[in-house]
Structures are given as structure tokens and as C-alpha cells.
Amino acid sequence: MSREADDAPTATAAEAHAQAASREEAAARLPGSLEEFLAGIGTRAFRFAELGLRHRDDSLDAVQDAMMKMLAYRDRPAGEWTPLFWSILRSRIVDTQRRRTFRLRWLSPAPERDDTALDWADDAPDPSRAFDGREAYGRLAEALSALPRRQREAFSLRVLEELDVATTARAMGCSEGAVKTHLSRAREALQRQLEDWR
């Protein structure tokens, strides 16, 4: 019994040391300024918005609006910027989708669909590799667009953006359990949709 009691504090001290090291590593990765943070997240934010809105100009507007709103939170600790930004962007995308649905319902007899191709500008030296990458991303984007909104958001933030469950939950405004459920359903649906392409 005393041996277990002796081991317990050591395990706790080791865990505390690991957590401290993890916090130090995370702090080292934090951007030095809000401008640096926004510059580093722009491309990924645009891809996230484009998956939700399927329209280049609307996606650019949503990202720009989210970045402008983030300027009001300049005084917040850098560790809060990531979930806050994704939450703001997500809300902006949802607002744009609602306005678009409202306009289509009242102003046009039938819903219109924008099938404009994505701009695949690429400076890669190997054309075949670039084509494969574009085709893979196009298939993934198409499969993601078929998912329900919450599943698409969970997959994009957890897998594509590599946010942890807690940060994703804060960005989506839901519980961690809900994030895991949405992510699990999204993965199952994507596996079914992409199975033929593999």
C-alpha cells in the first residue's frame, strides 16, 4: 500500500510536468501579434468558408468580415484567438447562407446554383502531382458539401484545421460530445462517398 502511495505522487508530478511542457510548447507556437495570426490563417479560413458557401466572392467577404471583427479582440490572450476566430467565421458563414436562402425564396422562382469552378492556381513544379492534388481536394470538397452543416464544420475544424476537440467545441458553440458525434457521422458519410474513388 505504501509503495502505491509513493508511486502516486510521482505519476502526478510526471503528469504535471508533461502538462507544463505542453503549455510551454503551445505558448511557443502562439503568434506574436494578431496581424501575424490573421496572416497565417487566411488561406485555411478561405477554404473553410468556400466549403460552406460554395461561392468565391461570398467566401472572401466572410473571411474578411471575420478578420475585421477579430481586430476588436486584439487585447484578448493569444491562446483565445483560434477558437474565437473560427467561431466568428462560422457565424458569418451561417448568416450568409441564411440571407442567400431568404433572397432565393423571395426573389427568384427557383433556387439557383452557382457551379463556378474553383480557382486552382498552383505553382507546383510537377503538373501530374498538382492535378492529383486538385482532383483529390475537389472530390473531398464535393463530398463535404453533401454533408449536413454541423458535420461539415466538425470535420473541417477537427481534421482539416487540426483543432483539438475542446477548441472545436468552443468554435462551434456546442459540447465536446456533440463534436465527436458530428465528426464520427461525417467520417462514416465521407468514407461511403469516397469509397469508389480510392
Side-chain angles (χ1 to χ4, degrees):
M1 178 113 175
S2 63
R3 173 177 265 185
E4 290 175 9
D6 289 342
D7 288 344
T10 306
T12 305
E15 289 171 3
H17 180 67
Q19 289 173 352
S22 177
R23 281 193 299 272
E24 288 174 12
E25 183 180 317
R29 287 189 310 240
L30 293 176
S33 68
L34 183 60
E35 289 76 14
E36 183 183 335
F37 169 78
L38 294 175
I41 205 166
T43 303
R44 297 188 330 262
F46 172 72
R47 287 184 183 148
F48 179 78
E50 199 169 39
L51 287 171
L53 296 172
R54 300 182 194 107
H55 189 269
R56 182 178 178 82
D57 292 338
D58 287 347
S59 301
L60 289 169
D61 288 345
V63 172
Q64 184 176 13
D65 287 351
M67 288 183 170
M68 293 298 290
K69 286 182 182 178
M70 277 299 293
L71 296 177
Y73 300 103
R74 180 184 304 274
D75 296 334
R76 291 267 184 107
E80 294 181 12
W81 291 343
T82 298
L84 185 59
F85 175 79
W86 290 111
S87 179
I88 291 170
L89 179 58
R90 188 187 143 278
S91 295
R92 181 68 176 95
I93 290 168
V94 170
D95 289 346
T96 302
Q97 290 169 334
R98 286 180 182 153
R99 275 197 303 276
R100 187 186 294 165
T101 301
F102 180 80
R103 273 194 310 250
L104 289 175
R105 191 178 325 132
W106 292 102
L107 299 178
S108 64
E112 296 176 11
R113 187 169 174 212
D114 185 6
D115 288 330
T116 306
L118 298 176
D119 181 11
W120 293 111
D122 190 2
D123 298 329
D126 182 359
S128 66
R129 180 177 284 172
F131 175 78
D132 290 345
R134 287 193 304 267
E135 184 179 10
Y137 181 77
R139 296 258 184 177
L140 178 61
E142 185 179 318
L144 279 171
S145 68
L147 294 177
R149 179 177 56 88
R150 299 293 275 177
Q151 290 180 21
R152 183 176 59 246
E153 290 171 355
F155 184 86
S156 297
L157 293 173
R158 274 291 286 133
V159 177
L160 302 181
E161 289 305 316
E162 299 178 353
L163 300 181
D164 60 31
V165 175
T167 304
T168 302
R170 285 196 313 249
M172 291 179 63
C174 63
S175 69
E176 292 183 19
V179 168
K180 292 175 183 176
T181 300
H182 291 311
L183 181 61
S184 173
R185 290 177 181 164
R187 282 184 168 146
E188 289 174 12
L190 290 172
Q191 284 173 348
R192 283 195 304 270
Q193 290 183 56
L194 299 174
E195 192 169 313
D196 294 337
W197 187 69
R198 279 192 252 162

